[in-house]
């Protein structure tokens, strides 16, 4: 695949993600009544994975997802460095990371690994990381992509960014409904 074709596929993926967030599922955009009392802040959400980590960054107003990407790395130190570079570029005021919980609300088996990675990020960024319940985000992300006709490799390369967008949406909705 040539560079032009790769760039075009990237643009189509970004356009699809935006349309899913804005129109396809009701995710990512708030109605005018929910915008009342909204905190104006940029938030970065992280969907940590073994080989791929999804990143979603809100717009400056904290209303919807403005940027998504996937970091491809098995190395957590490298992943943390790439997140640090994204933080430097996008300058979020808050960072939220998905945290594994079981359906009954108890901590999942990977909770300690996520806490350790959050501590690594906090040290590297000198900024707190909010751990956020990520139950069902990956399942919902697969469903959204399936409904949008994304299958196979195309879905595999996008699902983590969509899951990060869902974490971001949940956190932004929480901020909207709970004054800090």
């Amino acid at each position: 695949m040539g560079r032009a074709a790769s760039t075009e596929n990237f643009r189509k993926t970004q356009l699809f993600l935006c349309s899913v967030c804005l129109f396809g599922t009701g995710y990512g955009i708030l109605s005018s009544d929910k915008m009342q009392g909204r905190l104006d802040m940029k938030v970065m959400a992280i969907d940590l994975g073994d080989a791929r980590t999804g990143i979603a960054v809100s717009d400056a107003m904290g209303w919807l997802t403005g940027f998504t990407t996937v970091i491809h790395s098995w190395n957590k130190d490298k992943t943390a460095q790439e997140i640090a570079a994204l933080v430097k570029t996008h300058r979020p005021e808050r960072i939220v990371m998905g945290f594994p919980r079981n359906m009954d609300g108890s901590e999942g088996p990977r909770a300690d690994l996520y806490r350790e990675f959050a501590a690594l990020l906090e040290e590297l960024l000198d900024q707190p990381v909010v751990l956020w319940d990520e139950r069902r985000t990956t399942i919902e992300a697969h469903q959204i992509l399936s409904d949008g006709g994304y299958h196979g490799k195309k879905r595999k390369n996008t699902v983590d960014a969509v899951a990060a967008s869902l974490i971001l949406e949940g956190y932004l909705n929480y901020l909207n409904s709970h004054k800090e």
Side-chain angles (χ1 to χ4, degrees), residues 50-68:
D50 289 328
R52 288 176 308 280
T53 296
I55 305 291
V57 182
S58 74
D59 67 327
M61 301 298 288
W63 291 347
L64 53 90
T65 301
F67 171 84
T68 61

Side-chain angles (χ1 to χ4, degrees), residues 128-172:
V129 174
V130 176
L131 296 176
W132 189 256
D133 186 345
E134 69 172 9
R135 275 181 281 188
R136 300 193 46 80
T137 55
T138 301
I139 293 166
E140 288 179 35
H142 278 288
Q143 186 62 50
I144 289 167
L145 291 170
S146 180
D147 292 348
Y150 277 62
H151 302 284
K153 189 174 182 179
K154 198 165 36 168
R155 183 188 321 183
K156 184 177 178 181
N157 289 330
T158 310
V159 69
D160 300 289
V162 174
S165 294
L166 293 172
I167 292 167
L168 179 61
E169 178 208 3
Y171 188 71
L172 293 175

Side-chain angles (χ1 to χ4, degrees), residues 36-110:
Q36 301 299 323
R38 188 76 177 157
L39 296 176
D40 294 336
M41 77 167 66
K42 189 181 278 192
V43 178
M44 175 183 281
I46 303 166
D47 179 49
L48 183 65
D50 289 328
R52 288 176 308 280
T53 296
I55 305 291
V57 182
S58 74
D59 67 327
M61 301 298 288
W63 291 347
L64 53 90
T65 301
F67 171 84
T68 61
T69 192
V70 175
I71 298 169
H72 298 269
S73 178
W74 287 88
N75 182 311
K76 294 305 173 216
D77 290 326
K78 182 179 179 213
T79 300
Q81 290 296 328
E82 290 193 39
I83 290 171
L86 290 168
V87 166
K88 187 175 181 180
T89 300
H90 295 280
R91 302 180 192 271
E93 295 165 58
R94 190 155 305 162
I95 299 171
V96 59
M97 186 174 88
F99 187 71
R101 291 206 175 268
N102 297 318
M103 293 310 289
D104 66 2
S106 64
E107 292 186 359
R110 298 174 51 94

